[in-house]
Coordinates of all heavy atoms in Angstrom, one line a residue:
M1 N -0.9 -6.5 -29.6 CA 0.4 -6.0 -29.9 C 1.3 -6.1 -28.6 O 0.7 -6.0 -27.5 CB 0.4 -4.6 -30.5 CG -0.4 -4.5 -31.7 SD 0.3 -5.4 -33.1 CE -1.0 -5.3 -34.3
I2 N 2.6 -6.0 -28.7 CA 3.4 -6.1 -27.6 C 3.5 -4.7 -27.0 O 3.8 -3.7 -27.6 CB 4.9 -6.5 -28.0 CG1 4.8 -7.9 -28.6 CG2 5.8 -6.4 -26.8 CD1 6.1 -8.4 -29.2
G3 N 3.2 -4.6 -25.7 CA 3.1 -3.3 -25.0 C 4.2 -3.1 -24.0 O 4.9 -2.1 -24.0
G4 N 4.4 -4.0 -23.1 CA 5.3 -3.8 -22.0 C 5.6 -5.1 -21.3 O 5.0 -6.1 -21.7
I5 N 6.4 -5.1 -20.3 CA 6.7 -6.2 -19.5 C 6.1 -6.1 -18.2 O 6.6 -5.3 -17.4 CB 8.2 -6.5 -19.5 CG1 8.8 -6.6 -20.9 CG2 8.5 -7.7 -18.6 CD1 10.3 -6.7 -20.9
G6 N 5.1 -6.8 -17.8 CA 4.5 -6.8 -16.5 C 4.1 -5.4 -16.1 O 3.5 -4.7 -16.8
A7 N 4.5 -5.0 -14.9 CA 4.2 -3.8 -14.3 C 5.3 -2.7 -14.5 O 5.3 -1.7 -13.8 CB 3.9 -3.9 -12.8
I8 N 6.3 -3.0 -15.3 CA 7.4 -2.1 -15.5 C 6.9 -0.9 -16.4 O 6.3 -1.1 -17.4 CB 8.6 -2.8 -16.2 CG1 9.1 -3.9 -15.4 CG2 9.6 -1.8 -16.6 CD1 10.2 -4.7 -16.0
Q9 N 7.2 0.3 -15.9 CA 6.8 1.5 -16.6 C 8.1 2.0 -17.3 O 9.1 2.1 -16.7 CB 6.3 2.6 -15.7 CG 5.1 2.2 -15.0 CD 3.9 2.0 -15.9 OE1 3.8 2.7 -16.9 NE2 3.1 1.0 -15.7
F10 N 8.0 2.2 -18.6 CA 9.2 2.6 -19.4 C 9.2 4.1 -19.6 O 8.1 4.7 -20.0 CB 9.3 1.9 -20.7 CG 9.4 0.4 -20.6 CD1 8.4 -0.4 -20.9 CD2 10.6 -0.1 -20.1 CE1 8.5 -1.8 -20.7 CE2 10.7 -1.5 -19.9 CZ 9.7 -2.3 -20.3
K11 N 10.3 4.8 -19.5 CA 10.5 6.2 -19.8 C 11.2 6.3 -21.2 O 12.1 5.6 -21.4 CB 11.3 6.9 -18.8 CG 10.7 6.9 -17.4 CD 11.6 7.7 -16.4 CE 12.9 7.0 -16.2 NZ 13.8 7.7 -15.3
T12 N 10.6 7.1 -22.0 CA 11.3 7.3 -23.3 C 12.3 8.4 -23.2 O 12.0 9.4 -22.5 CB 10.3 7.6 -24.4 OG1 9.5 8.8 -24.0 CG2 9.3 6.5 -24.6
A13 N 13.4 8.3 -23.9 CA 14.4 9.4 -23.9 C 13.9 10.6 -24.6 O 13.1 10.5 -25.6 CB 15.7 8.9 -24.6
V14 N 14.3 11.8 -24.2 CA 13.8 13.0 -24.8 C 14.3 13.1 -26.2 O 13.5 13.4 -27.1 CB 14.3 14.2 -24.0 CG1 13.9 15.5 -24.6 CG2 13.7 14.2 -22.6
D15 N 15.6 12.9 -26.4 CA 16.1 13.0 -27.8 C 16.3 11.7 -28.5 O 16.8 11.6 -29.6 CB 17.5 13.7 -27.7 CG 18.5 13.0 -26.9 OD1 18.1 12.0 -26.3 OD2 19.7 13.4 -26.9
G16 N 15.8 10.6 -27.9 CA 15.9 9.3 -28.6 C 17.3 8.6 -28.5 O 17.5 7.5 -28.9
A17 N 18.3 9.3 -28.0 CA 19.6 8.8 -27.9 C 19.8 8.0 -26.6 O 19.1 8.2 -25.6 CB 20.6 9.9 -27.9
E18 N 20.6 6.9 -26.7 CA 20.8 6.1 -25.6 C 22.0 6.7 -24.8 O 23.0 7.1 -25.3 CB 21.2 4.7 -26.0 CG 20.1 4.0 -26.7 CD 20.5 2.6 -27.0 OE1 21.3 2.0 -26.3 OE2 19.9 2.1 -28.0
Q19 N 21.8 6.8 -23.5 CA 22.8 7.4 -22.6 C 23.2 6.3 -21.6 O 22.4 5.5 -21.2 CB 22.3 8.6 -21.9 CG 21.9 9.7 -22.8 CD 21.3 10.9 -22.1 OE1 21.1 10.8 -20.9 NE2 21.0 12.0 -22.8
A20 N 24.5 6.3 -21.2 CA 25.0 5.4 -20.2 C 25.9 6.2 -19.3 O 26.4 7.2 -19.6 CB 25.7 4.2 -20.9
S21 N 26.1 5.6 -18.2 CA 27.1 6.2 -17.2 C 28.5 6.0 -17.8 O 29.0 4.9 -17.9 CB 26.9 5.5 -15.9 OG 27.9 6.0 -15.0
P22 N 29.2 7.1 -18.1 CA 30.5 7.0 -18.7 C 31.5 6.3 -17.8 O 32.4 5.6 -18.3 CB 30.9 8.4 -19.0 CG 30.0 9.3 -18.2 CD 28.8 8.5 -17.9
G23 N 31.4 6.5 -16.5 CA 32.4 6.0 -15.6 C 32.3 4.4 -15.5 O 33.3 3.8 -15.2
L24 N 31.1 3.9 -15.7 CA 30.9 2.5 -15.6 C 31.2 1.7 -16.9 O 31.6 0.6 -16.9 CB 29.5 2.2 -15.1 CG 29.2 2.7 -13.7 CD1 27.7 2.4 -13.4 CD2 30.1 2.0 -12.7
L25 N 30.9 2.4 -18.0 CA 31.0 1.7 -19.3 C 32.3 1.9 -20.0 O 32.6 1.2 -21.0 CB 29.9 2.1 -20.2 CG 28.5 1.7 -19.7 CD1 27.4 2.2 -20.7 CD2 28.4 0.2 -19.5
Q26 N 33.2 2.8 -19.6 CA 34.4 3.0 -20.3 C 35.6 2.4 -19.5 O 36.7 2.8 -19.6 CB 34.7 4.5 -20.4 CG 33.7 5.2 -21.3 CD 33.9 6.7 -21.4 OE1 34.7 7.2 -20.7 NE2 33.1 7.3 -22.3
G27 N 35.3 1.4 -18.8 CA 36.4 0.6 -18.1 C 36.8 1.2 -16.8 O 37.6 0.6 -16.0
G28 N 36.2 2.3 -16.4 CA 36.6 3.0 -15.1 C 35.7 2.5 -14.0 O 34.6 1.9 -14.2
I29 N 36.1 2.7 -12.8 CA 35.3 2.4 -11.7 C 34.5 3.6 -11.3 O 34.9 4.7 -11.3 CB 36.2 2.0 -10.5 CG1 37.0 0.7 -10.8 CG2 35.4 1.8 -9.2 CD1 38.1 0.4 -9.8
G30 N 33.2 3.3 -11.1 CA 32.3 4.4 -10.8 C 32.7 5.2 -9.5 O 32.9 4.6 -8.5
T31 N 32.9 6.5 -9.6 CA 33.4 7.2 -8.4 C 32.3 8.1 -7.9 O 32.5 8.9 -7.0 CB 34.6 8.1 -8.9 OG1 34.2 9.0 -9.9 CG2 35.8 7.3 -9.3
Q32 N 31.1 8.0 -8.4 CA 30.0 8.8 -7.9 C 29.4 8.2 -6.6 O 29.8 7.1 -6.2 CB 28.9 8.8 -9.0 CG 29.3 9.4 -10.3 CD 28.3 9.2 -11.4 OE1 27.2 8.6 -11.1 NE2 28.5 9.8 -12.5
A33 N 28.6 9.0 -5.9 CA 27.9 8.5 -4.7 C 27.1 7.3 -5.0 O 26.6 7.1 -6.1 CB 27.1 9.6 -4.1
S34 N 26.9 6.4 -4.0 CA 26.2 5.2 -4.3 C 24.8 5.4 -4.7 O 24.3 4.6 -5.5 CB 26.2 4.3 -3.0 OG 25.5 5.0 -2.0
E35 N 24.2 6.5 -4.3 CA 22.8 6.7 -4.8 C 22.7 7.0 -6.3 O 21.8 6.4 -7.0 CB 22.2 7.9 -4.0 CG 20.8 8.2 -4.3 CD 20.2 9.3 -3.5 OE1 20.1 9.1 -2.3 OE2 19.9 10.4 -4.0
S36 N 23.6 7.7 -6.8 CA 23.6 8.0 -8.2 C 24.0 6.8 -9.0 O 23.6 6.6 -10.1 CB 24.5 9.2 -8.5 OG 25.9 8.9 -8.2
V37 N 24.9 6.0 -8.5 CA 25.3 4.7 -9.2 C 24.1 3.8 -9.2 O 23.8 3.2 -10.3 CB 26.5 4.1 -8.5 CG1 26.7 2.7 -9.1 CG2 27.7 4.9 -8.7
G38 N 23.3 3.7 -8.2 CA 22.1 2.9 -8.1 C 21.1 3.4 -9.2 O 20.5 2.6 -9.8
S39 N 20.9 4.7 -9.3 CA 20.0 5.2 -10.3 C 20.5 5.0 -11.7 O 19.7 4.7 -12.6 CB 19.7 6.7 -10.0 OG 20.8 7.4 -10.2
S40 N 21.8 5.0 -11.9 CA 22.4 4.7 -13.2 C 22.1 3.3 -13.6 O 21.8 3.0 -14.7 CB 23.9 5.0 -13.2 OG 24.1 6.4 -13.0
F41 N 22.3 2.4 -12.6 CA 22.0 1.0 -12.9 C 20.6 0.8 -13.3 O 20.2 0.0 -14.2 CB 22.4 0.1 -11.6 CG 22.2 -1.3 -11.8 CD1 23.0 -2.1 -12.7 CD2 21.1 -2.0 -11.2 CE1 22.8 -3.4 -12.8 CE2 20.9 -3.3 -11.3 CZ 21.7 -4.0 -12.2
A42 N 19.7 1.4 -12.5 CA 18.2 1.3 -12.8 C 17.9 1.9 -14.2 O 17.1 1.3 -15.0 CB 17.4 2.0 -11.8
E43 N 18.6 3.0 -14.6 CA 18.4 3.6 -15.9 C 18.9 2.7 -17.0 O 18.3 2.5 -18.1 CB 19.1 4.9 -16.0 CG 18.4 6.0 -15.2 CD 19.2 7.3 -15.2 OE1 20.2 7.4 -15.9 OE2 18.9 8.2 -14.4
V44 N 20.1 2.0 -16.8 CA 20.6 1.1 -17.8 C 19.7 -0.1 -18.0 O 19.4 -0.5 -19.1 CB 22.0 0.6 -17.3 CG1 22.5 -0.5 -18.2 CG2 23.0 1.8 -17.4
L45 N 19.1 -0.6 -16.9 CA 18.2 -1.7 -17.0 C 16.9 -1.3 -17.7 O 16.4 -2.0 -18.5 CB 17.8 -2.3 -15.6 CG 18.9 -3.2 -15.0 CD1 18.4 -3.7 -13.6 CD2 19.3 -4.4 -15.9
S46 N 16.4 -0.1 -17.4 CA 15.2 0.4 -18.0 C 15.5 0.6 -19.5 O 14.6 0.3 -20.4 CB 14.8 1.7 -17.4 OG 13.7 2.3 -18.1
Q47 N 16.6 1.1 -19.9 CA 16.9 1.3 -21.3 C 17.1 0.0 -22.0 O 16.6 -0.1 -23.2 CB 18.2 2.2 -21.5 CG 18.1 3.6 -21.1 CD 19.4 4.4 -21.1 OE1 20.4 3.8 -21.4 NE2 19.3 5.6 -20.8
A48 N 17.7 -1.0 -21.4 CA 17.8 -2.3 -22.0 C 16.4 -2.9 -22.2 O 16.2 -3.5 -23.3 CB 18.7 -3.2 -21.1
A49 N 15.5 -2.8 -21.2 CA 14.2 -3.4 -21.4 C 13.4 -2.6 -22.5 O 12.7 -3.3 -23.3 CB 13.4 -3.3 -20.0
T50 N 13.6 -1.3 -22.5 CA 12.9 -0.6 -23.6 C 13.4 -0.9 -25.0 O 12.6 -1.1 -25.9 CB 13.1 1.0 -23.4 OG1 12.6 1.3 -22.1 CG2 12.4 1.8 -24.4
K51 N 14.7 -1.1 -25.1 CA 15.3 -1.5 -26.4 C 14.8 -2.9 -26.8 O 14.5 -3.2 -27.9 CB 16.8 -1.5 -26.3 CG 17.5 -1.7 -27.6 CD 19.0 -1.6 -27.4 CE 19.7 -1.8 -28.8 NZ 21.1 -1.6 -28.6
T52 N 14.6 -3.8 -25.8 CA 14.1 -5.2 -26.1 C 12.7 -5.1 -26.6 O 12.3 -5.7 -27.6 CB 14.2 -6.1 -24.8 OG1 15.6 -6.2 -24.5 CG2 13.7 -7.4 -25.1
V53 N 11.9 -4.3 -25.9 CA 10.5 -4.2 -26.3 C 10.4 -3.6 -27.7 O 9.6 -4.0 -28.5 CB 9.7 -3.3 -25.2 CG1 8.3 -3.0 -25.8 CG2 9.5 -4.1 -23.9
N54 N 11.2 -2.6 -28.0 CA 11.2 -2.0 -29.3 C 11.6 -2.9 -30.4 O 11.0 -3.0 -31.5 CB 12.1 -0.7 -29.3 CG 11.5 0.4 -28.5 OD1 10.4 0.5 -28.2 ND2 12.4 1.3 -28.1
T55 N 12.6 -3.8 -30.1 CA 13.0 -4.8 -31.0 C 11.9 -5.8 -31.3 O 11.6 -6.2 -32.4 CB 14.2 -5.6 -30.5 OG1 15.3 -4.6 -30.2 CG2 14.7 -6.6 -31.5
L56 N 11.2 -6.2 -30.2 CA 10.0 -7.2 -30.4 C 8.9 -6.5 -31.2 O 8.3 -7.2 -32.0 CB 9.5 -7.6 -29.0 CG 10.5 -8.5 -28.2 CD1 10.0 -8.7 -26.8 CD2 10.8 -9.8 -28.9
Q57 N 8.6 -5.2 -30.9 CA 7.6 -4.6 -31.7 C 8.0 -4.4 -33.1 O 7.1 -4.5 -34.0 CB 7.3 -3.2 -31.0 CG 6.6 -3.2 -29.7 CD 6.4 -1.9 -29.1 OE1 7.2 -1.0 -29.4 NE2 5.5 -1.8 -28.1
G58 N 9.3 -4.1 -33.4 CA 9.7 -4.0 -34.8 C 9.6 -5.3 -35.5 O 9.2 -5.4 -36.7
A59 N 9.9 -6.4 -34.9 CA 9.8 -7.8 -35.5 C 8.3 -8.1 -35.7 O 7.9 -8.6 -36.8 CB 10.4 -8.8 -34.6
E60 N 7.4 -7.7 -34.8 CA 6.0 -7.9 -35.0 C 5.5 -7.1 -36.2 O 4.7 -7.6 -37.0 CB 5.3 -7.5 -33.7 CG 3.8 -7.8 -33.7 CD 3.1 -7.4 -32.4 OE1 3.6 -6.5 -31.8 OE2 2.2 -8.1 -32.1
Q61 N 5.9 -5.8 -36.3 CA 5.5 -5.0 -37.4 C 6.0 -5.5 -38.7 O 5.3 -5.5 -39.7 CB 6.0 -3.5 -37.2 CG 5.3 -2.8 -36.1 CD 3.8 -2.7 -36.4 OE1 3.3 -2.5 -37.5 NE2 3.0 -2.8 -35.3
M62 N 7.2 -6.0 -38.7 CA 7.8 -6.6 -40.0 C 7.0 -7.8 -40.4 O 6.8 -8.1 -41.6 CB 9.3 -6.9 -39.7 CG 10.0 -7.4 -41.0 SD 10.1 -6.1 -42.3 CE 11.1 -4.9 -41.5
S63 N 6.6 -8.6 -39.4 CA 5.8 -9.8 -39.7 C 4.5 -9.4 -40.3 O 4.0 -10.1 -41.2 CB 5.6 -10.7 -38.4 OG 6.8 -11.1 -37.9
I64 N 3.9 -8.4 -39.7 CA 2.6 -7.9 -40.3 C 2.7 -7.4 -41.7 O 1.9 -7.7 -42.6 CB 2.0 -6.9 -39.3 CG1 1.5 -7.5 -38.0 CG2 0.8 -6.2 -40.0 CD1 1.1 -6.5 -36.9
Q65 N 3.8 -6.7 -42.0 CA 4.1 -6.2 -43.3 C 4.3 -7.4 -44.3 O 3.9 -7.3 -45.4 CB 5.3 -5.3 -43.3 CG 5.1 -4.0 -42.7 CD 6.3 -3.1 -42.7 OE1 7.4 -3.5 -43.2 NE2 6.2 -1.9 -42.1
A66 N 4.9 -8.5 -43.8 CA 5.2 -9.6 -44.6 C 3.8 -10.3 -45.0 O 3.6 -10.8 -46.1 CB 6.1 -10.6 -44.0
L67 N 2.9 -10.3 -44.0 CA 1.6 -10.9 -44.3 C 0.8 -10.1 -45.3 O 0.1 -10.7 -46.1 CB 0.8 -11.0 -43.0 CG 1.3 -12.1 -42.0 CD1 0.5 -12.0 -40.7 CD2 1.2 -13.5 -42.6
K68 N 1.1 -8.8 -45.3 CA 0.4 -7.9 -46.3 C 1.1 -8.0 -47.7 O 0.6 -7.5 -48.7 CB 0.4 -6.5 -45.8 CG -0.4 -6.3 -44.6 CD -0.3 -4.8 -44.2 CE -1.2 -4.5 -43.0 NZ -1.0 -3.1 -42.5
G69 N 2.3 -8.6 -47.7 CA 3.1 -8.7 -48.9 C 4.0 -7.5 -49.2 O 4.5 -7.3 -50.3
D70 N 4.2 -6.7 -48.1 CA 5.1 -5.5 -48.3 C 6.5 -5.6 -47.8 O 7.3 -4.7 -48.0 CB 4.5 -4.3 -47.4 CG 3.1 -3.9 -47.9 OD1 2.8 -4.2 -49.1 OD2 2.3 -3.4 -47.1
A71 N 6.9 -6.8 -47.3 CA 8.2 -7.0 -46.8 C 8.9 -8.2 -47.4 O 8.2 -9.2 -47.7 CB 8.2 -7.1 -45.3
D72 N 10.2 -8.2 -47.5 CA 10.9 -9.3 -48.0 C 11.1 -10.4 -46.9 O 11.1 -10.1 -45.8 CB 12.3 -8.8 -48.5 CG 13.1 -9.9 -49.2 OD1 12.5 -10.8 -49.8 OD2 14.4 -9.8 -49.1
T73 N 11.2 -11.6 -47.3 CA 11.3 -12.7 -46.4 C 12.6 -12.6 -45.6 O 12.6 -12.8 -44.4 CB 11.3 -14.1 -47.1 OG1 10.2 -14.2 -47.9 CG2 11.4 -15.2 -46.1
R74 N 13.7 -12.1 -46.2 CA 14.9 -12.0 -45.5 C 14.8 -10.9 -44.4 O 15.4 -11.1 -43.3 CB 16.0 -11.6 -46.4 CG 17.4 -11.4 -45.8 CD 18.5 -11.3 -46.8 NE 19.8 -11.0 -46.1 CZ 20.6 -12.0 -45.6 NH1 20.2 -13.2 -45.8 NH2 21.7 -11.6 -45.1
Q75 N 14.1 -9.8 -44.7 CA 13.9 -8.8 -43.7 C 13.2 -9.3 -42.5 O 13.5 -9.0 -41.3 CB 13.2 -7.6 -44.3 CG 13.9 -6.8 -45.3 CD 13.1 -5.8 -46.0 OE1 11.8 -5.9 -46.1 NE2 13.7 -4.7 -46.4
V76 N 12.1 -10.1 -42.7 CA 11.3 -10.7 -41.7 C 12.2 -11.7 -40.8 O 12.1 -11.6 -39.6 CB 10.1 -11.5 -42.2 CG1 9.3 -12.1 -41.1 CG2 9.2 -10.5 -43.0
V77 N 13.0 -12.5 -41.5 CA 13.8 -13.5 -40.7 C 14.8 -12.7 -39.9 O 15.0 -13.0 -38.7 CB 14.5 -14.4 -41.7 CG1 15.6 -15.3 -41.0 CG2 13.5 -15.3 -42.4
D78 N 15.5 -11.7 -40.4 CA 16.4 -10.9 -39.7 C 15.8 -10.2 -38.5 O 16.3 -10.2 -37.4 CB 17.1 -9.8 -40.5 CG 18.0 -10.4 -41.5 OD1 18.5 -11.5 -41.4 OD2 18.4 -9.7 -42.5
A79 N 14.6 -9.7 -38.6 CA 13.9 -9.0 -37.5 C 13.5 -10.0 -36.5 O 13.6 -9.7 -35.3 CB 12.7 -8.3 -38.1
V80 N 13.0 -11.2 -36.9 CA 12.5 -12.2 -35.9 C 13.7 -12.7 -35.1 O 13.7 -12.9 -33.9 CB 11.7 -13.3 -36.6 CG1 11.5 -14.4 -35.7 CG2 10.4 -12.7 -37.1
L81 N 14.8 -13.0 -35.8 CA 16.0 -13.5 -35.2 C 16.6 -12.5 -34.2 O 17.1 -12.9 -33.1 CB 17.1 -14.0 -36.2 CG 16.8 -15.2 -37.0 CD1 17.8 -15.5 -38.0 CD2 16.6 -16.4 -36.0
S82 N 16.6 -11.3 -34.6 CA 17.1 -10.2 -33.7 C 16.2 -10.1 -32.4 O 16.7 -10.0 -31.3 CB 17.1 -8.9 -34.4 OG 17.4 -7.8 -33.6
A83 N 14.9 -10.2 -32.6 CA 14.0 -10.2 -31.5 C 14.2 -11.4 -30.6 O 14.1 -11.3 -29.4 CB 12.5 -10.2 -32.0
Q84 N 14.4 -12.6 -31.2 CA 14.7 -13.8 -30.4 C 15.9 -13.6 -29.6 O 15.9 -14.0 -28.4 CB 14.8 -15.0 -31.3 CG 15.0 -16.3 -30.6 CD 15.2 -17.5 -31.5 OE1 15.3 -17.3 -32.7 NE2 15.3 -18.6 -31.0
Q85 N 17.0 -13.1 -30.2 CA 18.2 -12.9 -29.4 C 18.0 -11.9 -28.3 O 18.5 -12.1 -27.2 CB 19.3 -12.4 -30.4 CG 20.7 -12.3 -29.7 CD 21.7 -11.8 -30.7 OE1 21.4 -11.3 -31.8 NE2 23.0 -11.9 -30.3
A86 N 17.3 -10.8 -28.6 CA 17.1 -9.8 -27.5 C 16.3 -10.4 -26.4 O 16.5 -10.2 -25.2 CB 16.4 -8.6 -28.1
L87 N 15.3 -11.2 -26.7 CA 14.4 -11.8 -25.7 C 15.2 -12.8 -24.8 O 15.1 -12.9 -23.6 CB 13.2 -12.5 -26.3 CG 12.2 -13.0 -25.3 CD1 11.6 -11.9 -24.5 CD2 11.0 -13.7 -26.1
Q88 N 16.1 -13.6 -25.5 CA 16.9 -14.6 -24.8 C 17.9 -13.9 -23.8 O 18.1 -14.4 -22.7 CB 17.7 -15.5 -25.8 CG 16.8 -16.5 -26.4 CD 17.5 -17.3 -27.5 OE1 18.6 -17.0 -27.9 NE2 16.9 -18.4 -27.9
T89 N 18.4 -12.8 -24.3 CA 19.4 -12.0 -23.4 C 18.6 -11.5 -22.2 O 19.1 -11.5 -21.1 CB 20.0 -10.9 -24.3 OG1 20.7 -11.4 -25.4 CG2 20.9 -10.0 -23.4
T90 N 17.4 -10.9 -22.5 CA 16.6 -10.4 -21.4 C 16.3 -11.5 -20.4 O 16.3 -11.3 -19.1 CB 15.3 -9.7 -21.9 OG1 15.7 -8.7 -22.8 CG2 14.5 -9.1 -20.8
I91 N 15.9 -12.6 -20.8 CA 15.6 -13.8 -19.9 C 16.8 -14.2 -19.1 O 16.7 -14.5 -17.9 CB 15.0 -14.9 -20.7 CG1 13.6 -14.5 -21.2 CG2 14.9 -16.2 -19.9 CD1 13.0 -15.5 -22.2
A92 N 18.0 -14.2 -19.8 CA 19.2 -14.6 -19.1 C 19.5 -13.6 -18.0 O 19.9 -14.0 -16.8 CB 20.4 -14.7 -20.0
I93 N 19.3 -12.3 -18.3 CA 19.6 -11.3 -17.3 C 18.6 -11.4 -16.1 O 19.0 -11.3 -14.9 CB 19.5 -9.9 -17.9 CG1 20.7 -9.7 -18.8 CG2 19.5 -8.8 -16.8 CD1 20.6 -8.4 -19.7
R94 N 17.3 -11.6 -16.4 CA 16.3 -11.8 -15.4 C 16.7 -13.0 -14.5 O 16.6 -12.9 -13.3 CB 14.9 -12.0 -16.0 CG 13.8 -12.2 -15.0 CD 12.7 -13.1 -15.4 NE 13.2 -14.4 -15.8 CZ 12.5 -15.3 -16.5 NH1 11.2 -15.0 -16.8 NH2 13.0 -16.4 -16.8
D95 N 17.1 -14.1 -15.1 CA 17.4 -15.3 -14.3 C 18.6 -15.0 -13.4 O 18.6 -15.4 -12.2 CB 17.8 -16.4 -15.2 CG 16.6 -17.0 -16.0 OD1 15.4 -16.6 -15.6 OD2 16.8 -17.7 -17.0
K96 N 19.6 -14.2 -13.8 CA 20.7 -13.9 -13.0 C 20.3 -13.0 -11.8 O 20.8 -13.1 -10.7 CB 21.8 -13.2 -13.8 CG 22.5 -14.1 -14.7 CD 23.4 -15.1 -14.0 CE 24.2 -15.9 -14.9 NZ 25.1 -16.9 -14.2
V97 N 19.4 -12.0 -12.1 CA 19.0 -11.1 -11.1 C 18.2 -11.9 -10.0 O 18.4 -11.7 -8.8 CB 18.1 -10.0 -11.7 CG1 17.4 -9.2 -10.6 CG2 19.0 -9.0 -12.5
V98 N 17.3 -12.8 -10.4 CA 16.5 -13.6 -9.5 C 17.4 -14.5 -8.7 O 17.3 -14.6 -7.5 CB 15.4 -14.4 -10.3 CG1 14.8 -15.4 -9.3 CG2 14.4 -13.5 -10.8
S99 N 18.4 -15.1 -9.3 CA 19.4 -15.9 -8.6 C 20.2 -15.1 -7.6 O 20.4 -15.6 -6.5 CB 20.3 -16.6 -9.6 OG 21.3 -17.3 -9.0
A100 N 20.6 -13.9 -7.9 CA 21.3 -13.1 -7.0 C 20.4 -12.7 -5.8 O 20.9 -12.7 -4.7 CB 21.9 -11.9 -7.7
Y101 N 19.2 -12.4 -6.1 CA 18.2 -12.0 -5.1 C 18.0 -13.2 -4.1 O 18.0 -13.0 -2.9 CB 16.9 -11.6 -5.6 CG 15.9 -11.3 -4.6 CD1 15.9 -10.2 -3.8 CD2 14.9 -12.3 -4.3 CE1 14.9 -9.9 -2.8 CE2 13.9 -12.1 -3.3 CZ 13.9 -10.9 -2.6 OH 13.0 -10.7 -1.7
L102 N 17.8 -14.4 -4.6 CA 17.6 -15.5 -3.8 C 18.9 -15.8 -2.9 O 18.7 -16.2 -1.8 CB 17.2 -16.7 -4.6 CG 15.9 -16.7 -5.3 CD1 15.7 -17.9 -6.2 CD2 14.8 -16.6 -4.3
E103 N 20.0 -15.7 -3.5 CA 21.3 -15.9 -2.8 C 21.4 -14.9 -1.6 O 21.8 -15.3 -0.5 CB 22.5 -15.8 -3.7 CG 23.8 -16.2 -3.1 CD 24.9 -16.2 -4.0 OE1 24.7 -16.5 -5.2 OE2 26.0 -15.9 -3.6
I104 N 21.1 -13.6 -1.9 CA 21.2 -12.6 -0.9 C 20.1 -12.9 0.2 O 20.4 -12.7 1.4 CB 21.0 -11.2 -1.5 CG1 22.2 -10.9 -2.3 CG2 20.7 -10.2 -0.4 CD1 22.1 -9.6 -3.1
S105 N 18.9 -13.3 -0.2 CA 17.9 -13.6 0.8 C 18.2 -14.7 1.7 O 17.7 -14.8 2.8 CB 16.5 -13.8 0.1 OG 16.5 -15.0 -0.6
R106 N 19.0 -15.7 1.3 CA 19.4 -16.8 2.1 C 20.6 -16.5 3.1 O 20.9 -17.3 3.9 CB 19.8 -18.0 1.2 CG 18.7 -18.7 0.5 CD 19.1 -19.9 -0.2 NE 20.0 -19.5 -1.3 CZ 19.7 -19.8 -2.5 NH1 18.6 -20.5 -2.8 NH2 20.5 -19.4 -3.5
M107 N 21.2 -15.4 2.9 CA 22.3 -15.0 3.8 C 21.8 -14.7 5.2 O 20.8 -14.1 5.4 CB 23.0 -13.7 3.3 CG 23.8 -14.0 2.1 SD 24.7 -12.4 1.6 CE 25.5 -12.9 0.2
S108 N 22.6 -15.2 6.2 CA 22.2 -14.9 7.5 C 22.8 -13.6 8.0 O 23.9 -13.2 7.6 CB 22.6 -16.0 8.5 OG 24.0 -16.2 8.4
I109 N 22.1 -12.9 8.8 CA 22.5 -11.6 9.2 C 23.2 -11.7 10.6 O 22.9 -12.3 11.5 CB 21.4 -10.5 9.3 CG1 20.8 -10.4 7.9 CG2 21.8 -9.2 9.9 CD1 19.6 -9.5 7.8

């Protein structure tokens, strides 16, 4: 079954609700100290990765239910397409992060 991505450790939310930094997502410029903005960015990435893993696990469970005859074909297709979209988005974000890292590493000091 799908467990995690590499060596990333995921933290589950206490109440199950998704939280985001209000200053960054509501169109405002973050006014907090750089350390707290950095941790907020890490939390947002962690939540996005957790949501992607949950989507993949849900699609996997739906596929297993379909094999048992407990799920409708449309539900399975919707779950698999949603998982595919989430995975493609995650891969695109990873590619951008790697590209940015390589660009920064090539800068001369």
Side-chain angles (χ1 to χ4, degrees):
M1 303 294 170
I2 298 173
I5 301 173
I8 297 175
Q9 299 295 323
F10 298 109
K11 297 184 293 183
T12 56
V14 175
D15 60 353
E18 293 183 30
Q19 298 175 356
S21 174
L24 295 175
L25 296 179
Q26 294 177 354
I29 297 174
T31 57
Q32 301 172 351
S34 62
E35 182 175 296
S36 63
V37 171
S39 65
S40 296
F41 180 71
E43 289 173 9
V44 168
L45 284 180
S46 176
Q47 289 174 358
T50 302
K51 188 174 180 181
T52 300
V53 169
N54 290 340
T55 302
L56 293 172
Q57 288 174 340
E60 185 178 31
Q61 289 299 322
M62 188 63 68
S63 298
I64 291 171
Q65 288 178 1
L67 290 174
K68 293 178 182 177
D70 296 336
D72 185 30
T73 305
R74 181 170 175 87
Q75 292 173 331
V76 175
V77 170
D78 287 343
V80 169
L81 288 177
S82 176
Q84 180 183 8
Q85 183 180 14
L87 187 59
Q88 287 176 345
T89 302
T90 302
I91 290 170
I93 291 170
R94 181 212 54 195
D95 291 345
K96 289 290 185 179
V97 168
V98 169
S99 174
Y101 173 78
L102 291 174
E103 187 175 330
I104 290 170
S105 69
R106 286 188 291 242
M107 289 183 181
S108 61
I109 297 177

